[in-house]
Amino acid sequence: MFFENIWYCVALASEISSRPIGRVVCNRPIVLFQTAKSGTLVALEDRCPHRQAPLSMGTVIGDEIMCGYHGWVMAADGRCVHVPHQETVSRNARIESYPVAAREGFVWTWLGDPSRADPAEIPEMPWLVADDRSSILSRFHARANDQLMADNLLDVSHADFLHAGSFGSRAGQRGETDTVRQEMETWTKPGSVHSRRVLKNVALGPMAAAWGGFTEPVTRTTSQNWRPTNTINIELAMENRENRILINHDHIMTPETETSSHYFFAFTRDFVLDGGYPNDEDMRREQETTIRTEDIPMVEAQQRNRIAFGDPLDVPGQADKFLIAVHRRIAEMRGER
Amino acid sequence: MFFENIWYCVALASEISSRPIGRVVCNRPIVLFQTAKSGTLVALEDRCPHRQAPLSMGTVIGDEIMCGYHGWVMAADGRCVHVPHQETVSRNARIESYPVAAREGFVWTWLGDPSRADPAEIPEMPWLVADDRSSILSRFHARANDQLMADNLLDVSHADFLHAGSFGSRAGQRGETDTVRQEMETWTKPGSVHSRRVLKNVALGPMAAAWGGFTEPVTRTTSQNWRPTNTINIELAMENRENRILINHDHIMTPETETSSHYFFAFTRDFVLDGGYPNDEDMRREQETTIRTEDIPMVEAQQRNRIAFGDPLDVPGQADKFLIAVHRRIAEMRGER
Amino acid sequence: MFFENIWYCVALASEISSRPIGRVVCNRPIVLFQTAKSGTLVALEDRCPHRQAPLSMGTVIGDEIMCGYHGWVMAADGRCVHVPHQETVSRNARIESYPVAAREGFVWTWLGDPSRADPAEIPEMPWLVADDRSSILSRFHARANDQLMADNLLDVSHADFLHAGSFGSRAGQRGETDTVRQEMETWTKPGSVHSRRVLKNVALGPMAAAWGGFTEPVTRTTSQNWRPTNTINIELAMENRENRILINHDHIMTPETETSSHYFFAFTRDFVLDGGYPNDEDMRREQETTIRTEDIPMVEAQQRNRIAFGDPLDVPGQADKFLIAVHRRIAEMRGER
């Protein structure tokens, strides 16, 4: 089912405060908060050991969280430290506490063996904090399996069709005079899978053309990097003699249940950092709209369809090489568990 | 479960264009469209063989349909004929194509063995296209098994109670001075089951009285014709010395799932064809309102109740003779499969 | 599963008229109405024996109910007494009729062996009709098991936390200077379980303080009485040298399904009966708002959480003595069946 000994992205850092939030990860409800006194990040099972009320309906007081139902208080390590009107507390009154860490704007939790949790293994994304870039971060929810949602990014050829109206190009469409030349290669490293796809002579969609002020076709180079479980970092370079712009877009998928997922997203640009078009809010509006109205509805429909048709075998195309390499790596990881 | 080698009504002809629509029939998602070049009707499995995205989210181009996700193109026979940036296409890249035909305003599909699909077997309803009549066609969705929805029409005695406020009569109601005389007969032919019910001295509800300008009781003759799976054609004559009017109303039920159905409907009149009351829009408003607010809610409640009570045995009355004859014929058909 | 030979509260008396209402109790749909002629209370299976349409969509005529689908008529004893256009009625055309009685504003039904149904066993609540009191009665629906909803009242310590903003006190909260002294005792009688909890020196929440015009801390005495299946009568006295007020609040939980319940409620006061604050409408607004926005959401969240976590073992505190005694009594009753 779900991998246990792995870091899962569970929130944006901007979501976390001393008001607790509840989130389901791999079918487990967890509560996330920052303690009010020491400012520490905490992730606990989202239940009070007394009567199983969600702690996310409770209140952070000092470095602890008080259940909103009968006032029991849990410390950051999951031990109950106070029951109203009692001198002592049962040693059974404890819940799981999960390792948790924030890195470059995302919050990650480890649900497996805590002794194996090394924050250094959290995928680093240095471009998110680089001085000469500007980033936006978003969170989405999808009623689709996290792998299906990740597969959307593992075959970027979807951009030319699903996003034809915005930043796609219809490159490769049947019947169009196809002057585009595609090169694609995929390779595997111990902890990651990589792909590089170059399209030459691409006529850009209106949105992408406006970003770089392009009037002529460009060479579009997409470099992709997959790390487990489903962190996909994409560097996209578009260039011709007019301009060269560089985009990083990052997509992190976390299972909520078998058929729903959390989708964390970042978009980083190296162009127009001085306040013209596009600024951060333009990027947020364009990207969130595209993901909400094009990507997620398509993948959710695909999820429903797979269930309706009893999960038929896919027929891969040449563009699926990267996706296939990633699926193979995941199957190996399942074997290694 | 569902009959396979039979024509199912799946759409109104007016719903079909070169914008594809998706519809679930017998648990199978299908996509329906008219090709843009030759104008042919097409019914395919509603999935792209590549990644199972619904083709109903795609685009008809020429005589083919392009998937909206990665641009694969399917011909009307279900074969994939184009994958972007590929010279060849895998022979496995194909989906089911279903025989499909339009007749008198309804579109029918055959999900079983295509070699046995004979469009001549599609139920004909010539009154729908007769010069001296006027018809309206509608489609409804019901969260009830198609047989339960069909049974509603197989016992037309419901009209006197469920539709007492509109075109019913309360004939037969307990305690009312019952001057109505009912005659009913049912008979079976090889491909159909028939019923004829005559009620004499019926005081009409206000709506039916207005159609024919009746002020006095009428003789109401209902002739019913059931053809498999669930096409029910009803001819209703109302007459007294003041007037005689003739109505055909047709009800075609198609399973969506075991507990939901598509309900196709036509209403044809031979009276007031010159623009007074009732005109086509009056008929549409009256009939659609009645079916949406009286028939479908009752049958949906009946469906929920049957599930809640564990499907108890019905206790038939004399008015159920036609329904029983039809159910027997369906049981025979299941035996013959 | 559900107890059979027991009275279940199914409605407020004010809900019952000659317009039938449908209600699901212990997974069984029942229809409730008062006959139009003799004014008798009737509870029947909510289905017509003909085709299983709900009788709650029908019409009460005289002392009988007519199905709204095909006009079959059922007497109060569940026998069908009329089928339109038929001289005789099948003896199989009958449904269950349930003993039913109203008492002090609540309506109770007995789903088990009717020969054992004794209306004298319906829990009496004489304060609801006392001359020197004023009562309001309410009904709620909760998407939680009835026992879980009842448990909410079996541990009244929740009031100090869940209702801290209204009539609670935060007595016992960690870190607060805790000057409150709690005494609690629980005892069992043959047909009931009892608890008495005294808190001294309680600083009241603003709502409770306003009821009695209290400016200083009070002694709060809570006397609880549980009777099967889940009738919980609570007498609450609040007093200091300024005033003494007495409240009875009654909570009756009836299973709808395994995971949903009907919640019947009464609130009776012995203070401000002359029209100042609080009057009946103040009480209704305050109490219904609290139950709808604080109790029910917490218990529904608790229900979802128990399912999500696979029903973990609770860790009881000292305040759970009464709850544990009631659960033990219910387990004994299950053994006695």
Side-chain angles (χ1 to χ4, degrees):
Chain A
M1 303 255 301
F2 303 117
F3 289 101
E4 288 227 324
N5 289 309
I6 207 152
W7 288 101
Y8 282 111
C9 185
V10 292
L12 305 179
S14 59
E15 293 183 279
I16 307 297
S17 72
S18 61
R19 287 183 72 97
I21 61 168
R23 189 144 292 161
V24 172
V25 179
C26 300
N27 279 329
R28 293 194 221 180
I30 64 176
V31 57
L32 296 160
F33 58 91
Q34 188 172 34
T35 61
K37 206 162 81 183
S38 63
T40 314
L41 259 179
V42 179
L44 298 172
E45 280 187 282
D46 190 12
R47 64 178 186 96
C48 177
H50 175 216
R51 297 278 297 156
Q52 322 307 330
L55 292 176
S56 53
M57 294 173 80
T59 309
V60 173
I61 299 179
D63 282 344
E64 300 161 344
I65 186 165
M66 178 177 76
C67 179
Y69 201 1
H70 302 98
W72 293 33
V73 176
M74 249 55 58
D77 64 358
R79 282 182 312 110
C80 177
V81 293
H82 175 73
V83 174
H85 306 295
Q86 286 188 205
E87 304 279 316
T88 59
V89 175
S90 162
R91 284 197 301 177
N92 294 328
R94 62 182 309 285
I95 53 175
E96 292 292 318
S97 171
Y98 300 112
V100 60
R103 179 158 192 171
E104 291 143 4
F106 295 112
V107 175
W108 301 75
T109 299
W110 178 282
L111 300 178
D113 176 359
S115 72
R116 295 173 58 183
D118 177 1
E121 288 179 10
I122 295 173
E124 85 289 356
M125 295 175 243
W127 50 87
L128 291 178
V129 290
D131 285 342
D132 54 349
R133 307 285 183 96
S134 189
S135 297
I136 57 138
L137 277 70
S138 304
R139 179 176 64 87
F140 307 95
H141 181 267
R143 285 162 299 195
N145 179 276
D146 68 301
Q147 189 61 50
L148 217 50
M149 200 67 241
D151 290 350
N152 182 53
L153 283 313
L154 297 176
D155 181 357
V156 291
S157 80
H158 82 264
D160 289 326
F161 297 92
L162 187 58
H163 307 312
S166 49
F167 41 82
S169 72
R170 291 206 178 278
Q173 181 174 323
R174 175 157 164 94
E176 304 278 307
T177 309
D178 193 350
T179 59
V180 171
R181 290 295 161 262
Q182 170 181 292
E183 297 162 20
M184 184 169 171
E185 54 180 337
T186 292
W187 65 99
T188 300
K189 291 185 186 172
S192 55
V193 184
H194 300 261
S195 168
R196 188 179 151 92
R197 183 179 184 242
V198 182
L199 266 76
K200 292 186 178 161
N201 203 24
V202 175
L204 290 174
M207 197 184 278
W211 294 339
F214 294 112
T215 63
E216 298 174 15
V218 302
T219 293
R220 203 172 68 185
T221 304
T222 307
S223 304
Q224 294 193 254
N225 177 7
W226 173 91
R227 285 173 286 180
T229 61
N230 268 316
T231 299
I232 299 157
N233 306 115
I234 305 180
E235 190 190 78
L236 173 61
M238 292 190 281
E239 58 192 309
N240 63 14
R241 57 184 182 181
E242 299 172 303
N243 197 0
R244 179 179 192 276
I245 65 175
L246 195 66
I247 289 163
N248 290 86
H249 50 112
D250 307 299
H251 309 259
I252 315 170
M253 307 300 168
T254 297
E256 182 186 53
T257 68
E258 285 289 344
T259 54
S260 62
S261 47
H262 305 290
Y263 180 168
F264 299 95
F265 172 75
F267 190 95
T268 304
R269 72 187 190 283
D270 79 338
F271 52 95
V272 195
L273 302 176
D274 56 1
Y277 172 87
N279 63 24
D280 282 1
E281 283 318 303
D282 294 325
M283 287 284 105
R284 179 180 301 283
R285 187 184 62 251
E286 289 176 6
Q287 294 297 313
E288 292 192 352
T289 299
T290 301
I291 291 174
R292 285 219 172 85
T293 65
E294 296 178 351
D295 293 282
I296 291 177
M298 179 58 84
V299 176
E300 290 182 341
Q302 192 192 7
Q303 171 75 74
R304 290 192 300 273
N305 232 25
R306 297 180 91 91
I307 291 171
F309 280 104
D311 231 344
L313 279 183
D314 291 339
V315 176
Q318 290 167 14
D320 292 303
K321 273 192 292 187
F322 182 44
L323 181 149
I324 289 168
V326 167
H327 286 201
R328 187 176 302 134
R329 180 73 197 103
I330 290 172
E332 288 166 7
M333 285 172 61
R334 293 202 182 279
E336 288 161 10
R337 285 167 83 186
Chain B
M1 304 256 299
F2 303 118
F3 289 102
E4 288 227 323
N5 289 307
I6 206 150
W7 289 101
Y8 282 110
C9 187
V10 292
L12 304 178
S14 59
E15 293 182 279
I16 307 298
S17 73
S18 61
R19 286 183 72 98
I21 61 168
R23 188 144 292 161
V24 172
V25 180
C26 300
N27 280 330
R28 294 194 222 180
I30 63 176
V31 57
L32 296 160
F33 58 92
Q34 189 172 35
T35 61
K37 204 161 84 185
S38 62
T40 315
L41 259 179
V42 179
L44 299 173
E45 281 187 281
D46 191 11
R47 64 179 185 96
C48 177
H50 174 217
R51 295 280 297 159
Q52 322 308 330
L55 292 176
S56 53
M57 293 173 79
T59 309
V60 173
I61 299 178
D63 283 343
E64 300 161 344
I65 186 165
M66 179 177 77
C67 179
Y69 200 4
H70 302 97
W72 291 35
V73 176
M74 250 53 60
D77 63 358
R79 282 182 313 110
C80 177
V81 293
H82 175 73
V83 174
H85 305 295
Q86 285 188 207
E87 304 278 316
T88 59
V89 174
S90 163
R91 283 197 302 175
N92 294 328
R94 62 181 310 283
I95 52 175
E96 292 291 318
S97 171
Y98 301 111
V100 61
R103 180 157 191 173
E104 291 142 6
F106 295 112
V107 175
W108 302 74
T109 298
W110 178 281
L111 301 177
D113 176 358
S115 71
R116 295 173 58 183
D118 178 1
E121 288 178 10
I122 294 173
E124 85 287 359
M125 296 174 241
W127 50 87
L128 290 177
V129 290
D131 285 343
D132 54 349
R133 307 284 184 94
S134 190
S135 298
I136 57 133
L137 277 71
S138 303
R139 179 176 65 87
F140 307 95
H141 182 267
R143 284 162 299 196
N145 179 276
D146 69 301
Q147 191 60 50
L148 216 52
M149 199 68 239
D151 290 350
N152 182 52
L153 283 313
L154 297 176
D155 181 356
V156 290
S157 80
H158 82 263
D160 289 327
F161 297 93
L162 187 57
H163 307 313
S166 51
F167 42 82
S169 72
R170 291 206 178 276
Q173 181 173 326
R174 172 154 164 99
E176 303 279 306
T177 309
D178 193 351
T179 59
V180 171
R181 291 295 160 261
Q182 171 181 291
E183 297 161 20
M184 185 167 170
E185 54 180 338
T186 292
W187 66 99
T188 300
K189 291 184 185 174
S192 54
V193 185
H194 300 262
S195 169
R196 188 178 150 93
R197 183 181 186 239
V198 182
L199 267 76
K200 291 186 176 160
N201 203 25
V202 174
L204 290 174
M207 197 183 278
W211 292 340
F214 295 112
T215 63
E216 298 174 13
V218 302
T219 293
R220 204 172 68 184
T221 304
T222 307
S223 304
Q224 293 193 255
N225 178 7
W226 174 90
R227 286 174 285 181
T229 62
N230 268 316
T231 299
I232 299 157
N233 306 115
I234 305 180
E235 190 191 78
L236 172 63
M238 293 190 281
E239 60 192 309
N240 62 14
R241 57 186 180 177
E242 299 172 303
N243 198 1
R244 178 180 194 276
I245 65 174
L246 195 66
I247 289 162
N248 290 86
H249 49 114
D250 307 299
H251 309 260
I252 315 170
M253 306 301 167
T254 297
E256 182 185 54
T257 67
E258 285 289 343
T259 53
S260 62
S261 47
H262 305 290
Y263 180 168
F264 299 95
F265 172 76
F267 190 95
T268 304
R269 72 188 190 283
D270 78 338
F271 51 95
V272 196
L273 302 176
D274 57 2
Y277 172 86
N279 62 25
D280 282 1
E281 282 317 302
D282 294 324
M283 288 284 104
R284 179 180 301 283
R285 187 186 61 251
E286 289 176 7
Q287 295 296 313
E288 292 193 351
T289 300
T290 301
I291 290 174
R292 284 218 174 87
T293 65
E294 295 178 351
D295 292 283
I296 291 176
M298 178 59 83
V299 176
E300 290 183 341
Q302 191 191 9
Q303 171 75 74
R304 290 192 300 271
N305 232 25
R306 297 181 91 93
I307 291 171
F309 280 105
D311 232 342
L313 278 182
D314 292 338
V315 176
Q318 290 167 13
D320 291 304
K321 275 192 292 188
F322 181 45
L323 181 149
I324 289 168
V326 167
H327 285 201
R328 188 176 301 134
R329 181 75 196 102
I330 291 172
E332 289 165 7
M333 286 170 61
R334 294 203 183 278
E336 288 160 10
R337 286 167 82 186
Chain C
M1 303 255 302
F2 302 118
F3 290 102
E4 288 227 324
N5 289 308
I6 206 151
W7 288 101
Y8 281 112
C9 187
V10 292
L12 304 179
S14 59
E15 292 183 280
I16 307 297
S17 73
S18 61
R19 287 183 72 98
I21 61 168
R23 189 145 292 161
V24 172
V25 179
C26 299
N27 278 330
R28 292 194 223 181
I30 64 176
V31 57
L32 296 159
F33 58 92
Q34 187 171 35
T35 62
K37 206 161 83 185
S38 62
T40 315
L41 259 180
V42 179
L44 298 172
E45 280 188 281
D46 190 13
R47 64 179 186 96
C48 177
H50 175 217
R51 296 279 296 156
Q52 322 308 331
L55 292 177
S56 53
M57 292 174 81
T59 309
V60 174
I61 299 178
D63 283 343
E64 300 160 346
I65 187 165
M66 179 177 77
C67 178
Y69 200 3
H70 302 97
W72 292 34
V73 177
M74 251 53 59
D77 64 358
R79 280 181 315 109
C80 178
V81 294
H82 175 73
V83 174
H85 306 296
Q86 284 189 204
E87 305 278 315
T88 58
V89 174
S90 162
R91 285 197 300 177
N92 294 330
R94 62 180 311 284
I95 52 175
E96 293 291 318
S97 171
Y98 301 111
V100 61
R103 180 159 192 171
E104 292 145 1
F106 295 112
V107 176
W108 302 75
T109 299
W110 178 281
L111 300 178
D113 177 358
S115 71
R116 294 173 59 182
D118 178 0
E121 288 179 10
I122 295 173
E124 86 287 358
M125 296 175 242
W127 51 86
L128 291 178
V129 290
D131 285 341
D132 54 349
R133 307 284 184 95
S134 189
S135 298
I136 57 135
L137 278 70
S138 304
R139 179 176 65 85
F140 307 95
H141 182 268
R143 284 163 298 194
N145 179 275
D146 69 300
Q147 190 60 50
L148 217 51
M149 200 66 241
D151 290 350
N152 182 53
L153 284 314
L154 297 176
D155 181 357
V156 290
S157 79
H158 81 264
D160 290 326
F161 297 93
L162 188 57
H163 306 313
S166 50
F167 41 83
S169 71
R170 291 206 179 276
Q173 180 174 324
R174 173 155 165 97
E176 302 279 308
T177 310
D178 194 349
T179 59
V180 171
R181 291 295 160 262
Q182 172 180 290
E183 298 161 20
M184 184 167 170
E185 53 180 339
T186 292
W187 66 100
T188 300
K189 291 185 187 172
S192 54
V193 185
H194 300 262
S195 168
R196 187 178 152 92
R197 183 180 185 241
V198 183
L199 268 76
K200 292 185 177 161
N201 203 25
V202 174
L204 290 173
M207 197 184 278
W211 292 340
F214 295 112
T215 61
E216 298 175 12
V218 302
T219 293
R220 203 172 69 185
T221 306
T222 306
S223 305
Q224 292 193 254
N225 177 7
W226 174 91
R227 285 174 286 181
T229 59
N230 268 316
T231 299
I232 299 157
N233 306 115
I234 306 180
E235 192 191 76
L236 173 62
M238 293 190 281
E239 59 191 311
N240 63 12
R241 58 186 179 177
E242 299 172 302
N243 198 1
R244 177 180 194 275
I245 65 174
L246 194 67
I247 288 162
N248 291 85
H249 50 113
D250 307 299
H251 309 259
I252 316 171
M253 307 300 168
T254 297
E256 182 185 54
T257 68
E258 285 289 343
T259 53
S260 61
S261 47
H262 305 290
Y263 180 169
F264 299 96
F265 172 75
F267 190 95
T268 304
R269 73 187 191 283
D270 79 338
F271 52 95
V272 195
L273 302 176
D274 56 1
Y277 172 87
N279 63 24
D280 282 2
E281 283 316 303
D282 294 325
M283 288 284 104
R284 178 179 303 282
R285 187 185 61 251
E286 289 176 6
Q287 294 296 313
E288 291 192 352
T289 300
T290 301
I291 291 174
R292 284 218 174 85
T293 64
E294 295 178 352
D295 293 283
I296 292 177
M298 179 59 83
V299 176
E300 290 182 342
Q302 191 191 8
Q303 170 75 73
R304 290 193 299 273
N305 231 25
R306 297 180 90 92
I307 291 171
F309 280 104
D311 232 343
L313 279 182
D314 291 338
V315 176
Q318 289 165 16
D320 290 304
K321 273 192 292 187
F322 181 45
L323 181 149
I324 289 168
V326 167
H327 285 201
R328 188 176 301 135
R329 180 76 197 104
I330 290 172
E332 288 165 7
M333 286 171 60
R334 293 201 183 278
E336 288 160 11
R337 287 166 83 186

